[in-house]
């Protein structure tokens, strides 16, 4: 029964469509086997394995359904470790849907289980997902504290290598820590951490890790006002997303690259990418950071001299940031609205 292993290997190299196909076939085959304890465990694990490639393909509602099914099976077994793995994706799901309080609550459950000696490593994934929720809320210090602890734990592990199986966790923790530091103007640390994440992603050769690291390293340069240094990183990340169908991640480099182009000499192309990022996020049903992508679009429209349109988009960004409790993005959108009013006279 090689389908599960083949599916996991495909997922490890970001061959997401192939991974989903093989893991779904494995789950279907498993469902026809006699009911045993081992079959139930396998049914949980296959659902858990399916979630990462489905998530990257943007199929969020299927991720939610599989998580709920796995949760029910794990409760029946009383399997706390598998239940914690379920919760890590529920944290991510609610984060993406713009429900940070729910995400943090599930993350806390993971941390409680992760404190037990029979569930090592669970807390790192929980801290990462909780940290991104705190980041979205504008609580950058809290996010940074959790992410820095993840990095220290991983680097301090006796068996840790940045090209090993925990690479995505290391790269994501480093990338989001760099983002948090850039948002508070701590650019020296942001670039240092982003550089380590980039090197780790290159060491592993994983397309998803490289897209994450390149995007967030580019973001740090954008926030510091160096679009020229950001663009090569963002271009590479954006192409990786297109080539490998990293659909869930693609709006992020699309928005940042669009803004970078708008601020340089490619205004028309930049506006196209900015509009694309907003539209893709809406289509995917992702609510987190929608306000930021709209704020980026408003900034691009300001550069283009489309002041009345910029006012409308900035107002929308303000409304979204208030709805989803994104304090940092709310401040950015207010600043852009003020600038648009000044320009419009």
């Amino acid at each position: 029964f090689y389908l599960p292993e083949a599916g996991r290997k495909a997922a490890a190299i970001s061959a997401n469509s192939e991974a989903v196909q093989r893991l779904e076939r494995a789950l279907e085959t498993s469902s026809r086997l006699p009911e045993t304890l081992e079959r139930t465990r396998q049914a949980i694990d296959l659902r858990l394995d399916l979630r990462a490639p489905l998530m990257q393909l943007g199929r969020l509602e299927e991720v939610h359904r599989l998580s709920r099914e796995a949760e029910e099976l794990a409760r029946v077994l009383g399997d706390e470790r598998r239940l914690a793995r379920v919760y890590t994706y529920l944290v991510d799901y609610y984060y993406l849907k713009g429900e940070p309080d729910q995400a943090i609550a599930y993350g806390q459950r993971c941390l409680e289980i992760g404190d037990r000696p029979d569930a090592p490593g669970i807390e790192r994934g929980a801290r990462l997902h909780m940290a991104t929720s705190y980041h979205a809320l504008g609580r950058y210090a809290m996010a940074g504290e959790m992410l820095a602890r993840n990095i220290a734990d991983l680097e301090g592990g006796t068996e840790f290598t940045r090209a090993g199986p925990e690479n995505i966790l290391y790269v994501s923790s480093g990338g989001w820590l760099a983002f948090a530091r850039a948002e508070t103007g701590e650019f020296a640390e942001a670039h240092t951490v982003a550089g380590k994440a980039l090197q780790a992603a290159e060491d592993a050769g994983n397309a998803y890790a490289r897209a994450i690291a390149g995007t967030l390293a580019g973001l740090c340069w954008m926030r510091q006002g160096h679009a020229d240094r950001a663009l090569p990183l963002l271009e590479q990340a954006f192409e990786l997303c297109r080539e490998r169908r990293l659909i869930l991640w693609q709006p992020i480099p699309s928005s940042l690259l669009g803004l970078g182009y708008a601020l340089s000499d490619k205004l028309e192309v930049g506006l196209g990418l900015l509009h694309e990022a907003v539209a893709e996020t809406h289509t995917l049903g992702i609510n987190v950071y929608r306000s930021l992508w709209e704020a980026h679009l408003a900034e691009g429209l300001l550069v283009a001299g489309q002041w009345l349109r910029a006012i409308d988009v900035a107002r929308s960004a303000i409304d979204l940031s208030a709805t989803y409790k994104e304090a940092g993005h709310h401040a950015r959108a207010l600043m852009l609205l003020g600038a648009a009013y000044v320009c419009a006279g």
Side-chain angles (χ1 to χ4, degrees):
F1 190 52
Y2 297 105
L3 283 171
E5 186 60 27
R8 293 179 189 117
K9 286 182 177 179
I13 60 171
S14 300
N16 296 308
S17 296
E18 184 179 344
V20 168
Q21 182 183 39
R22 291 178 177 179
L23 290 167
E24 284 181 338
R25 284 176 58 198
L27 187 58
E28 180 185 357
T29 302
S30 175
S31 69
R32 296 197 295 266
L33 298 174
E35 288 194 23
T36 63
L37 186 62
E38 184 55 36
R39 197 204 91 167
T40 302
R41 288 174 177 153
Q42 185 181 64
I44 296 170
D45 291 341
L46 287 170
R47 285 171 169 84
L48 297 177
D49 290 336
L50 264 166
R51 294 179 309 173
L54 283 171
M55 184 77 82
Q56 291 181 35
L57 291 170
R59 292 159 63 176
L60 296 186
E61 297 313 314
E62 290 177 66
V63 170
H64 187 243
R65 173 181 59 80
L66 288 167
S67 296
R68 289 301 188 191
E69 290 172 359
E71 180 183 21
E72 184 176 345
L73 291 169
R75 284 188 183 281
V76 169
L77 290 184
D79 191 325
E80 291 280 281
R81 192 173 192 283
R82 284 182 169 86
L83 200 55
R85 289 183 63 202
V86 171
Y87 289 157
T88 59
Y89 269 82
L90 288 174
V91 174
D92 208 19
Y93 174 82
Y94 286 112
Y95 155 74
L96 290 168
K97 300 302 285 187
E99 300 181 45
D101 295 334
Q102 185 83 309
I104 291 167
Y106 271 108
Q108 192 58 49
R109 294 188 199 181
C110 290
L111 291 180
E112 290 166 4
I113 295 172
D115 281 339
R116 295 168 40 156
D118 60 338
I122 292 294
E123 72 278 4
R124 292 171 185 159
R127 281 201 298 263
L128 170 62
H129 295 309
M130 289 177 72
T132 56
S133 295
Y134 283 123
H135 188 285
L137 288 167
R139 297 177 63 181
Y140 303 124
M142 176 66 78
E145 180 182 326
M146 300 186 87
L147 293 164
R149 182 175 173 188
N150 254 13
I151 292 169
D153 283 357
L154 287 165
E155 290 182 339
T158 55
E159 298 179 1
F160 173 69
T161 62
R162 286 185 293 177
E166 293 181 306
N167 179 267
I168 289 286
L169 181 59
Y170 182 88
V171 169
S172 297
S173 297
W176 284 99
L177 177 57
F179 190 175
R181 296 296 188 245
E183 291 289 60
T184 55
E186 300 168 80
F187 293 113
E189 184 180 354
H191 294 312
T192 297
V193 176
K196 288 182 179 180
L198 275 169
Q199 186 59 58
E202 291 298 326
D203 289 346
N206 181 285
Y208 186 43
R210 289 167 60 208
I212 292 171
T215 299
L216 296 176
L219 181 147
C220 293
W221 288 115
M222 285 293 297
R223 288 292 184 265
Q224 199 173 5
H226 295 295
D228 57 326
R229 302 194 68 168
L231 289 178
L233 293 162
L234 295 171
E235 286 168 341
Q236 184 179 45
F238 183 69
E239 286 307 312
L240 276 170
C241 289
R242 280 192 164 174
E243 291 170 7
R244 306 304 291 269
R245 297 195 70 224
L246 305 176
I247 294 170
L248 192 75
W249 188 259
Q250 185 169 314
I252 307 177
S254 177
S255 181
L256 289 162
L257 183 59
L259 182 58
Y261 282 156
L263 294 171
S264 54
D265 59 351
K266 297 181 178 180
L267 182 56
E268 186 175 347
V269 177
L271 286 176
L273 287 171
L274 288 164
H275 280 289
E276 185 178 302
V278 170
E280 285 177 347
T281 304
H282 178 73
T283 299
L284 288 166
I286 298 173
N287 295 322
V288 70
Y289 293 101
R290 277 179 63 192
S291 63
L292 182 57
W293 312 148
E294 293 214 0
H296 285 171
L297 175 56
E299 189 170 352
L301 291 167
L302 274 174
V303 174
Q306 299 180 35
W307 300 317
L308 295 180
R309 178 68 179 134
I311 287 171
D312 289 340
V313 176
R315 282 175 173 166
S316 177
I318 288 168
D319 291 342
L320 285 168
S321 62
T323 298
Y324 299 113
K325 306 178 182 180
E326 297 179 355
H329 307 156
H330 192 77
R332 182 178 295 275
L334 284 169
M335 179 188 69
L336 289 165
L337 180 61
Y341 275 130
V342 169
C343 292

